[in-house]
């Protein structure tokens, strides 16, 4: 293991539980490299996750780590951040965790623009429960609960979070791992709600059922289907069918929730004596 | 508790003021009748004392945020009513297993479903005990007046912090909205318990180790004691372990810590129980009507006693058995179809008949109907 | 990892204990430096070709590869 990153792992818990070729480890390492570049302190950083394969990541990381309930990581994280605004708070969530059961919390965390960085590990499937389709599974893809192909429309979580009001929204892939690391780093730096969707592979439940037999084929797919945003802007919808856009969608400065609340605290602390 | 003034206040307001005395500095909630005043008042009171209030998107979120704040080292509370209490259950179970101190106020209203939002009820007694899945430790308190609500709120925080257990404070619409003069405590003179912090260095710290008290030491996020908190079964290091041995010992400890510390949370009141032929087991706001009925029956020469529970869960089994010694019948008045009666029956066994006086029409008890019930049982 | 598996001069080091034989590093190495042993575990076959681009390290899902910087040697 990389000597720079070694200090961030709970080494005694490795190797991790993820399957061979699962992209979760690639995203996890990218998160650590981004954080290392910014020099974030382990004691001052909290990782919060929901439930799913991806949500097991914090268990391997030598930080303050909180593995919560399915879909609810952001609400626990909100409590941590509001109570203790000086901590760096990072949420790790799966595509199902973030968009289905936790979709409403995602909207409202973005709307508040609370200073939490959310990394959504999008493997297009419910991994932990054995490969049921998620709201981010492509239409027509095969899943254990979509044996004849998924009739649901898949949705673009980045656009949702953008519309909800986040300060920073970006998408990367585990194939494009160097840009992904930069996107995460920028998300960490940003004051406000940052959302990075990392397209990653579940070779076991998504790949095998969808004509990508190996982890390598899944990375090939990420390479071929990803379109950088600058190029995508010049393409029409037909050309973009079956592809996804990567890059930075939002990077703006807006009032951040805990800062606004701290201001309110300063203004009203003396309204009426102690407790 | 020394007095720092008396004030006329509602039960919901008593919760607010007492929570601040107890050290609560975080509240997350979602509006719901008849608990809303708690959120409204804390929205202005918390900032005045340097605390933080947040209105979340729903009750699931409120429960999770309160747990998150508590893990960051801040005493935290949330408040709701029936439909919201249902939504909180999954995360409440998370707090029970991960042993995070948190206070949940449920101002009960008539259910099921949306039911009768402004009508009082005691329909959530069993939900407070068994609402989340799996066997789990939980404490529930149910005060009978506004003044007692004030004291019970402080006690709820103390129990929660001392035993690292979620505490449910069960009010009902009557108590929540009733106004009474309350003796306000002086923060300096009231006993406030804080969770016990680590006694060892971070490298030696085991977040779920039993130090002999069955209540592990607790470190807040950000204090240098990096550790893992998970809703999976875990060993003393806090990391998941699915072995039968670990599951068994974790379950034994989290349940056993309540058995071992009854004195911390058990709160009952026995009145005229020694000679009583008929015992009323009372709790919550109906205890007030019951008290008048008992007084009248006693004036008329009936040997009637009262055993009032403020702590409902864990059920004060032994204390009830003692209070009921010699009684030939027990009566439980409650604003539901007999939830606590089930528990009383279990404790009394078949030797002593247990009768219920019940209301589920959204109306409150009148002393007279309880009196009639007493007469019937007494002469029966 | 046992010292016998590490040649002091190798620019890339695979931790056999962590490698899960997914083949990603091998497939995407621009210089075909890496190969697999009988179990599919990555091995360094042509160390001299390595340009230290670190893509193998970054894309390894199991934190099993380190590309040493020249200063390390
Ligand atoms: C309330 C609740 N409902 C359902 C589940 C079962 N469950 C666990 S993980 C999961 C889906 C995980 O998928 P995703 O969030 O995409 O994460 P992945 O495992 O793919 O990383 C589900 C449905 C649960 N744990 N809790
Ligand atoms: S099931 Fe899929 S997502 Fe889960 S560890 Fe295996 S490859 Fe990864
Ligand atoms: S550093 Fe680059 S060239 Fe060297 S082995 Fe790794 S991928 Fe191949
Ligand atoms: S990418 Fe990592 S796990 Fe996969 S074969 Fe290479 S070293 Fe092994």
């Amino acid at each position: 293991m990389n000597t720079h990153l070694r200090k961030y792992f709970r080494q005694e818990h490795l190797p991790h539980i993820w399957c061979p070729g699962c992209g979760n480890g690639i995203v996890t390492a990218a998160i650590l490299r981004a954080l290392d570049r910014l020099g974030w302190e382990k004691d001052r950083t909290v990782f919060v996750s929901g439930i799913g394969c991806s949500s097991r990541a914090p268990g391997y990381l030598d930080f303050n780590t909180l593995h919560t309930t399915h879909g609810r990581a952001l609400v626990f994280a909100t409590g941590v951040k509001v109570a203790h605004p000086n901590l760096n708070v990072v949420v790790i969530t799966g595509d199902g965790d973030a968009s289905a059961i936790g979709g409403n919390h995602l909207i409202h965390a973005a709307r508040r623009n609370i200073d939490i960085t959310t990394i959504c590990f999008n493997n297009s499937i419910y991994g932990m429960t054995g490969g049921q389709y998620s709201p981010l599974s492509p239409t027509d893809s095969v899943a254990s609960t979509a044996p004849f192909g998924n009739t649901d429309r898949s949705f673009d979580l980045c656009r949702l979070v953008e519309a909800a009001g986040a300060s920073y929204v970006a998408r990367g892939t585990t194939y494009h791992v160097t840009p992904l690391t930069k996107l995460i780093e920028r998300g960490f730096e940003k004051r406000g709600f940052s959302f990075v969707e990392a397209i990653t592979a579940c070779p076991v439940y998504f790949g095998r059922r969808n004509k990508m037999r190996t982890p390598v084929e899944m990375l090939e797919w990420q390479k071929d289907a990803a379109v950088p945003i600058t190029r995508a802007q010049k393409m029409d919808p037909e050309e973009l069918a079956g592809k996804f856009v990567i890059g930075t969608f939002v990077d703006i400065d807006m009032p951040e929730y805990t800062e606004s609340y701290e201001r309110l605290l300063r203004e009203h602390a003396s309204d009426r004596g102690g407790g | 508790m020394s007095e720092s003034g008396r004030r006329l206040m509602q039960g919901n307001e008593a919760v607010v003021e007492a929570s601040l005395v107890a050290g609560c500095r975080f509240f997350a909630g979602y509006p719901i009748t008849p608990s809303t005043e708690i959120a409204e008042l804390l929205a202005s009171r918390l900032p005045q004392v340097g605390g933080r209030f947040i209105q979340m998107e729903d009750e699931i979120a409120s429960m999770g945020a309160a747990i998150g704040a508590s893990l960051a080292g801040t005493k935290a509370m949330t408040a709701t009513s029936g439909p919201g209490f249902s939504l909180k259950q999954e995360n409440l179970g998370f707090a029970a297993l991960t042993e995070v101190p948190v206070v949940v106020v449920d101002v009960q209203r008539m259910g099921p479903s949306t039911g009768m939002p402004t009508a009082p009820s005691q329909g959530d007694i069993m939900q407070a005990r068994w609402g989340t899945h799996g066997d789990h430790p939980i404490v529930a308190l149910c005060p009978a007046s506004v003044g007692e609500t004030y004291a019970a709120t402080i006690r709820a925080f103390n129990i929660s912090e001392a035993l690292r257990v979620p505490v449910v404070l069960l009010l009902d619409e009557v108590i929540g909205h009733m106004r009474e003069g309350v003796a306000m405590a002086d923060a300096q003179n009231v006993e406030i318990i804080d969770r016990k912090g680590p006694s060892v260095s971070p490298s030696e710290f085991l977040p779920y180790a039993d130090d002999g008290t069955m209540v592990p030491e607790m470190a807040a996020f950000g204090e240098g004691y990096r550790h893992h908190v998970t809703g999976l079964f875990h060993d003393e290091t806090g990391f998941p372990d699915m072995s039968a041995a670990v599951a068994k010992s974790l379950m034994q400890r989290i349940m056993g810590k309540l058995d071992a510390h009854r004195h911390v949370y058990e709160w009952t009141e026995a009145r005229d129980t020694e000679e009583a032929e008929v015992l009323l087991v009372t709790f919550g706001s109906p205890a007030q009507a019951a008290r008048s009925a008992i007084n009248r029956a006693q004036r008329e020469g009936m040997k009637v006693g009262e055993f009032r529970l403020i702590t409902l869960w864990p059920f004060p089994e032994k204390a009830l058995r003692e209070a009921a010694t010699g009684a030939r019948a027990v009566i439980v008045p409650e604003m539901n179809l007999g939830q606590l009666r089930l528990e009383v029956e279990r404790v009394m066994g078949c030797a002593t008949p247990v009768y219920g006086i019940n209301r589920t029409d959204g109306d409150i008890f009148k002393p007279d109907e309880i009196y009639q019930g007493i007469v019937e049982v007494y002469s029966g | 990892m046992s010292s016998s598996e590490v040649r002091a001069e190798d620019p890339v080091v695979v931790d056999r204990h962590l490698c899960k034989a997914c083949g990603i590093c091998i497939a995407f190495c621009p210089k075909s430096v890496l190969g697999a042993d009988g179990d599919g575990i990555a091995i360094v076959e042509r160390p001299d070709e390595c340009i230290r681009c670190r893509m193998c390290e970054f894309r390894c899902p199991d934190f099993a590869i380190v590309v040493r910087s020249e200063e390390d040697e």
Side-chain angles (χ1 to χ4, degrees), chain A residues 28 50 57 75 134 139 224 236 241-242 249 251:
Chain A
T28 303
V75 308
S134 97
T139 306
D224 297 340
D236 48 45
F249 305 109
D251 186 348

Side-chain angles (χ1 to χ4, degrees), chain A residues 8-200:
Chain A
Y8 297 121
F9 282 99
R10 290 166 171 150
Q11 305 236 19
E12 66 279 18
H13 293 279
L14 295 175
H16 54 56
I17 57 162
W18 296 319
C19 308
C22 172
N24 289 346
I26 308 178
V27 187
T28 303
I31 290 172
L32 294 177
R33 282 196 304 277
L35 176 152
D36 185 56
R37 282 193 212 151
L38 296 173
W40 276 13
E41 278 176 57
K42 298 201 286 184
D43 284 338
R44 312 292 303 164
T45 303
V46 186
F47 278 92
V48 187
S49 64
I51 297 291
C53 294
S54 40
S55 287
R56 295 299 283 270
Y60 301 109
L61 307 180
D62 188 19
F63 294 79
N64 304 282
T65 54
L66 175 56
H67 178 220
T68 69
T69 48
H70 190 28
R72 318 299 176 194
L74 273 167
V75 308
F76 286 79
T78 298
V80 171
K81 184 72 189 181
V82 173
H84 212 321
N86 295 327
L87 293 173
N88 304 313
V89 181
V90 183
V91 162
I92 288 181
T93 177
D95 47 307
D97 200 61
S99 74
I101 192 163
N104 197 37
H105 308 309
L106 180 62
I107 291 172
H108 292 282
R111 173 181 61 80
R112 289 184 194 104
N113 200 34
I114 186 164
D115 187 29
I116 294 171
T117 302
T118 296
I119 318 292
C120 176
F121 291 44
N122 177 9
N123 59 7
S124 317
I125 203 86
Y126 287 172
M128 178 132 273
T129 41
Q132 301 75 29
Y133 66 92
S134 97
L136 271 64
S137 298
T139 306
D140 296 330
S141 63
V142 176
S144 71
T145 45
F148 312 116
N150 181 16
T151 42
D152 270 27
R153 283 208 308 182
S154 134
F155 86 89
D156 183 332
L157 213 49
C158 287
R159 284 177 62 193
L160 176 88
V161 178
E162 174 177 355
S167 266
Y168 182 79
V169 182
R171 183 187 287 122
T173 86
T174 56
Y175 176 82
H176 306 88
V177 62
T178 306
L180 174 67
T181 308
K182 291 213 178 82
L183 298 175
I184 295 171
E185 184 184 346
R186 182 77 190 126
F188 283 163
E189 269 179 329
K190 194 81 198 173
R191 285 292 295 168
F193 191 73
S194 303
F195 181 79
V196 180
E197 178 184 331
I199 306 266
T200 175

Side-chain angles (χ1 to χ4, degrees), chain C residues 33-69:
Chain C
V33 173
L34 303 163
D37 71 6
D39 298 324
I41 304 288
I43 48 171
V44 183
E45 283 181 341
R46 305 198 300 154
D48 296 343
E49 302 292 311
C50 177
I51 53 168
R52 297 178 206 259
C53 68
R54 297 185 76 187
M55 293 319 295
C56 53
E57 178 184 319
F58 293 171
R59 291 205 189 101
C60 171
D62 288 271
F63 327 124
I65 299 195
V66 185
V67 179
R68 300 204 213 148
S69 62

Side-chain angles (χ1 to χ4, degrees), chain B residues 168-252:
Chain B
V168 179
L169 186 61
L170 285 167
L171 309 188
D172 58 58
E173 191 277 335
V174 178
I175 304 261
H177 287 158
M178 182 163 66
R179 275 175 206 284
E180 257 179 37
V182 173
M184 304 263 286
D186 183 339
Q188 273 79 51
N189 295 315
V190 56
E191 190 197 12
I192 301 299
I193 299 173
D194 294 328
R195 63 192 71 173
K196 124 190 111 177
S199 62
V200 295
S201 70
S203 62
E204 294 162 303
F205 181 61
L206 290 170
Y208 289 96
D210 182 1
D211 62 359
T213 66
M214 299 176 110
V215 184
E217 296 171 348
M218 187 169 178
F221 288 159
E223 281 182 345
Y225 289 81
R226 297 186 304 277
H227 64 286
H228 188 55
V229 177
T230 176
L232 288 166
F233 271 53
H234 44 268
D235 63 16
E236 58 182 17
T237 64
F239 290 98
D241 189 326
M242 302 298 126
S243 69
V246 164
K248 186 173 168 193
S249 83
L250 176 61
M251 195 52 118
Q252 274 173 351

Side-chain angles (χ1 to χ4, degrees), chain B residues 91-165:
Chain B
N91 285 341
L92 189 52
F94 180 90
L97 182 69
T98 55
E99 302 177 74
V100 178
V102 64
V103 173
V104 180
V105 186
D106 173 20
V107 189
Q108 297 167 91
R109 66 188 225 183
M110 269 291 293
S113 193
T114 311
M116 293 204 273
T118 56
S121 161
Q122 294 179 310
D124 305 349
I125 303 303
M126 281 296 172
Q127 191 185 19
R129 178 62 196 91
W130 297 114
T132 198
H133 58 285
D135 290 294
H136 60 278
I138 198 150
V139 173
L141 304 182
C142 186
S145 67
V146 177
E148 196 169 78
T149 297
Y150 190 90
T153 304
I154 295 176
R155 184 115 183 226
F157 276 95
N158 284 348
I159 295 165
S160 189
E161 293 283 319
L163 302 182
R164 292 188 60 178
V165 67

